[in-house]
């Protein structure tokens, strides 16, 4: 019932196309009509010169509406669908089926069977059902009697056909119109748009969409004389991304309109829909813009090589002007980004240098603290040894004691003198301890006589002062060891 009302409001006679558009809008009648016919003041208006045709005769539409549209009805539908439209019980499924180099779209209800799909493909692909293997089911292989509803499939599905008993034809790789032809982009319309519009500004190109229809009498002439002309082929190759689509089959045309609506808007789809079969083939020239894609020109099949070249060159002039602006904007943006990157890098390097400087300063300060701690520990250790030696020294003897006394006078490196009396029997070690207690340990200083010059620290410390000839008096001096 929704399908019948949609066809009545839009004038779309092709059921497959109408179903595809409704599926695109989740069977929302108002949204689907809005996507096809421009809306103005709450009324869906058609072209002023083209009244909406009546819905095709259908038992479903006859039973669903008690007041069918008459020939005198105005050329619009109200915003709200008729209250007689009932909820749809069945669910439409879409299958994209790949077979060798062909792609076929099949749309049918989920109450159908796998065998129904094969029957449709037999007509489309000219492949007998008995030699056809339909693969790609997520649940594994299924039989021809399997009802689609039992497979719980999503709305859009992809399958492929295998025919191991049918050898591929060698002629399929040969061109119908000769070896000189445009280089067509292999991929989806979306991928072709990405290739043409979304690279760097200097690399962007126009998108030429060639729409072929085998049922048009102009197709052979247009392909052989226009599209295969050396000048056209060369110009398209240099300046365009060329993408082709065959709309001979209504299912293919419906699928194209869906893609055009998605990528270029409903106006483009509506424009293509207005062309009749004998006006094909069409060559759409599309330019990518900042916010949307714009169709610059629609070239019909009834043209000449010169006219075709002039219209291609006219589109290139418009594109080149836009491209220069885009290049300028892109260069300015890249220059700003380069300056920002350089500033960010300089800032990063400055932070890195500050960090390294701070770490070096922290290491230096830590090393200074460590050295100072070691120095203090060494000083404390030396002071403890000095005090220990000083306390262990025997008392300085007096002359009244009657024992032989040796008077020693020791000049320090600073020029000061140390004077002390020792018993002549006193060991050299006591002299060494005395000198060390004054801050001149024997491992750092040498104790020397003046004349003859002798290194006392090399003498056995067990010798007495008398044995070392430091009696009764002697002048010595201290000298730092090297």
């Amino acid at each position: 019932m929704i399908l019948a009302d949609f066809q009545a409001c839009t004038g779309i006679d092709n059921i497959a196309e109408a179903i595809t558009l409704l599926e695109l809008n989740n069977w929302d009648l108002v949204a689907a009509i809005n996507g096809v016919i421009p809306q103005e003041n709450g009324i869906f208006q058609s072209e002023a010169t083209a009244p909406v045709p009546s819905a095709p005769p259908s038992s479903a539409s006859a039973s669903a509406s008690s007041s069918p549209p008459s020939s005198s009805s105005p050329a619009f539908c109200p915003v709200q669908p008729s209250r007689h439209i009932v909820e749809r019980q069945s669910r439409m499924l879409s299958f994209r089926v790949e077979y060798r180099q062909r792609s076929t779209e099949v749309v049918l209800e989920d109450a159908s069977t796998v065998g129904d799909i094969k029957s449709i493909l037999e007509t489309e692909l000219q492949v007998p059902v008995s030699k056809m293997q339909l693969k790609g089911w997520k649940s594994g292989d299924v039989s021809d009697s399997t009802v689609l509803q039992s497979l719980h499939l999503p709305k859009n599905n992809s399958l492929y056909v295998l025919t191991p008993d049918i050898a591929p034809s060698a002629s399929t790789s040969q061109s119908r119109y000769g070896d000189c032809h445009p280089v067509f982009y292999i991929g989806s319309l979306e991928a072709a748009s990405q290739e043409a519009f979304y690279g760097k500004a200097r690399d962007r190109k126009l998108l030429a969409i060639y729409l072929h229809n085998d049922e048009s009498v102009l197709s052979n002439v247009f392909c052989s004389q226009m599209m295969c002309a050396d000048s056209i082929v060369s110009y398209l190759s240099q300046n365009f991304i060329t993408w082709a689509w065959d709309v001979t089959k209504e299912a293919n045309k419906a699928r194209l309109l869906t893609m055009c609506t998605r990528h270029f808007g409903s106006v483009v789809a509506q424009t293509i829909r207005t062309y009749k079969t004998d006006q094909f083939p069409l060559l759409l020239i599309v330019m990518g813009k900042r916010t949307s894609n714009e169709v610059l020109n629609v070239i019909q099949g009834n043209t000449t090589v010169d006219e075709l070249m002039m219209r291609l060159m006219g589109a290139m002039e418009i594109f080149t002007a836009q491209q220069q602006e885009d290049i300028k904007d892109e260069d300015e943006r890249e220059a700003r980004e380069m300056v920002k990157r350089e500033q960010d890098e300089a800032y990063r390097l400055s932070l890195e240098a500050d960090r390294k400087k701070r770490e070096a300063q922290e290491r230096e300060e830590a090393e200074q603290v460590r050295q100072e701690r070691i120095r203090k520990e060494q000083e404390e250790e030396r002071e403890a040894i000095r005090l220990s030696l000083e306390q262990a020294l025997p008392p300085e003897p007096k002359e009244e004691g009657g024992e032989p006394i040796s008077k020693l006078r020791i000049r320090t490196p600073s020029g000061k003198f140390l004077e002390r009396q020792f018993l002549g029997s006193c060991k050299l070690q006591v002299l060494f301890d005395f000198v060390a207690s004054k801050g001149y340990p024997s491992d750092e200083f040498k104790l020397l006589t003046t004349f003859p010059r002798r290194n006392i620290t090399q003498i056995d410390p067990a010798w007495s002062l008398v044995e070392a000839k430091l009696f009764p008096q002697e002048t010595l001096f201290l000298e730092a060891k090297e």
Side-chain angles (χ1 to χ4, degrees):
M1 308 343 139
I2 295 177
L3 176 62
D5 282 80
F6 179 76
Q7 288 182 298
C9 289
T10 61
I12 299 176
D13 296 331
N14 185 272
I15 295 178
E17 178 185 346
I19 290 175
T20 301
L21 293 171
L22 285 168
E23 285 285 358
L24 187 63
N25 292 278
N26 295 321
W27 288 87
D28 185 331
L29 179 59
V30 176
I33 295 175
N34 274 332
V36 175
I37 302 176
Q39 183 177 355
E40 183 174 302
N41 298 328
I43 295 177
F44 299 92
Q45 298 189 357
S46 65
E47 296 293 331
T49 59
V52 176
S54 301
S58 170
S59 59
S61 61
S63 61
S65 173
S66 61
S67 55
S70 64
S71 59
S72 61
S73 298
F76 65 86
C77 290
V79 175
Q80 296 298 330
S82 170
R83 59 187 177 86
H84 296 289
I85 297 176
V86 298
E87 183 179 359
R88 179 176 163 276
Q89 298 298 322
S90 59
R91 179 166 172 257
M92 303 305 294
L93 300 177
S94 176
F95 297 86
R96 182 182 179 182
V97 183
E98 303 289 342
Y99 175 60
R100 295 180 179 172
Q101 297 181 355
R102 297 184 59 181
S103 178
T104 303
E105 192 82 12
V106 177
V107 179
L108 70 174
E109 295 182 349
D110 58 2
S112 306
T113 64
V114 174
D116 294 334
I117 300 179
K118 288 187 175 182
S119 297
I120 296 174
L121 292 175
E122 182 177 29
T123 303
E124 295 286 337
L125 304 177
Q126 300 299 310
V127 175
V129 173
S130 59
K131 297 182 180 296
M132 184 189 306
Q133 297 180 12
L134 192 57
K135 301 290 186 177
W137 304 100
K138 298 185 181 302
S139 58
D141 291 338
V142 296
S143 65
D144 290 356
S145 60
T146 302
V147 178
L148 299 179
Q149 189 175 21
S150 66
L151 299 177
H152 306 290
L153 299 171
K155 182 176 69 173
N156 297 310
N157 303 270
S158 295
L159 303 174
Y160 59 95
V161 172
L162 297 179
T163 53
D165 298 332
I166 301 178
S169 174
S171 62
T172 56
S173 61
Q174 299 176 354
S175 173
R176 288 167 56 181
Y177 304 104
D179 295 333
C180 181
H181 56 80
V183 178
F184 292 104
Y185 183 86
I186 305 301
S188 65
L189 178 57
E190 180 179 5
S193 301
Q194 291 283 340
E195 180 75 14
F197 305 148
Y198 298 106
K200 297 185 83 55
R202 286 179 173 80
D203 301 330
R204 293 172 193 164
K205 293 185 177 182
L206 286 170
L207 176 62
I209 301 177
Y210 173 68
L211 302 181
H212 183 83
N213 192 323
D214 261 344
E215 296 179 356
S216 172
V217 296
L218 299 174
S219 292
N220 286 335
V221 175
F222 187 85
C223 289
S224 60
Q225 297 183 14
M226 261 67 77
M227 291 297 287
C228 291
D230 290 340
S231 58
I232 300 298
V233 170
S234 176
Y235 199 75
L236 286 173
S237 299
Q238 293 175 9
N239 303 294
F240 292 78
I241 297 295
T242 307
W243 185 82
W245 189 263
D246 191 336
V247 296
T248 306
K249 301 294 184 181
E250 287 297 332
N252 277 1
K253 184 177 180 181
R255 185 178 170 200
L256 171 73
L257 295 174
T258 301
M259 291 187 291
C260 288
T261 300
R262 182 165 61 249
H263 296 299
F264 309 127
S266 60
V267 176
V268 177
Q270 183 68 15
T271 301
I272 297 173
R273 190 181 292 110
T274 60
Y275 285 96
K276 300 183 182 301
T277 299
D278 56 3
Q279 293 176 298
F280 281 82
L282 301 178
L283 189 63
L284 279 66
I285 308 302
V286 186
M287 180 176 72
K289 302 187 73 174
R290 293 181 179 89
T291 56
S292 63
N293 299 322
E294 178 182 351
V295 177
L296 297 180
N297 217 329
V298 179
I299 304 172
Q300 299 180 35
N302 56 346
T303 185
T304 64
V305 172
D306 292 340
E307 184 181 355
L308 175 58
M309 178 60 75
M310 288 180 60
R311 297 181 73 172
L312 292 177
M313 293 175 66
M316 271 303 299
E317 290 181 4
I318 299 174
F319 170 73
T320 302
Q322 179 65 51
Q323 186 182 39
Q324 293 304 316
E325 292 183 10
D326 292 343
I327 290 174
K328 180 181 177 182
D329 293 344
E330 188 174 79
D331 288 345
E332 291 176 351
R333 182 174 63 254
E334 289 181 352
R336 290 193 299 269
E337 292 175 352
M338 176 63 72
V339 171
K340 185 177 183 303
R341 286 195 297 269
E342 291 175 351
Q343 291 175 342
D344 292 344
E345 180 65 13
Y347 181 66
R348 187 190 67 79
L349 293 176
S350 176
L351 292 178
E352 183 69 13
D354 291 344
R355 183 184 63 80
K356 291 182 178 180
K357 183 178 179 180
R358 184 173 62 254
E359 290 177 352
Q361 184 176 358
E362 290 174 353
R363 288 195 299 268
E364 182 179 355
E365 292 175 352
E367 180 63 18
Q368 290 177 353
V369 171
R370 190 181 72 85
Q371 293 294 340
E372 181 66 17
R373 185 179 67 254
I374 293 174
R375 186 185 65 78
K376 287 184 178 180
E377 291 175 353
Q378 291 176 345
E379 286 183 354
E380 290 174 357
E381 183 180 2
R382 291 176 64 179
E383 180 63 16
I385 294 173
R386 189 190 69 76
L387 291 174
S388 174
L389 293 174
E390 188 176 55
Q391 293 173 0
L393 287 174
E396 186 175 3
K398 299 184 182 298
E399 295 182 357
E400 296 82 8
E403 295 187 31
I405 294 176
S406 177
K407 295 180 180 180
L408 300 180
R409 194 165 181 261
I410 305 168
R411 182 166 61 86
T412 64
S414 64
K416 295 182 179 180
F417 284 89
L418 303 175
E419 296 182 357
R420 195 180 191 281
Q421 296 184 148
F422 298 88
L423 292 175
S425 59
C426 186
K427 306 296 183 182
L428 283 177
Q429 185 63 52
V430 177
L431 174 60
F432 297 156
D433 291 345
F434 168 72
V435 173
S437 68
K438 299 302 181 180
Y440 303 98
S442 57
D443 57 346
E444 297 180 15
F445 293 89
K446 297 182 291 185
L447 189 61
L448 307 172
T449 60
T450 55
F451 185 83
R453 181 183 175 90
R454 291 186 301 150
N455 188 353
I456 303 302
T457 52
Q458 292 181 344
I459 301 176
D460 187 352
W463 283 16
S464 66
L465 297 180
V466 174
E467 292 173 330
K469 299 180 180 181
L470 299 178
F471 179 83
Q473 61 184 13
E474 185 65 60
T475 299
L476 307 171
F477 65 94
L478 288 166
E479 183 178 278
K481 290 183 177 181
E482 297 179 354

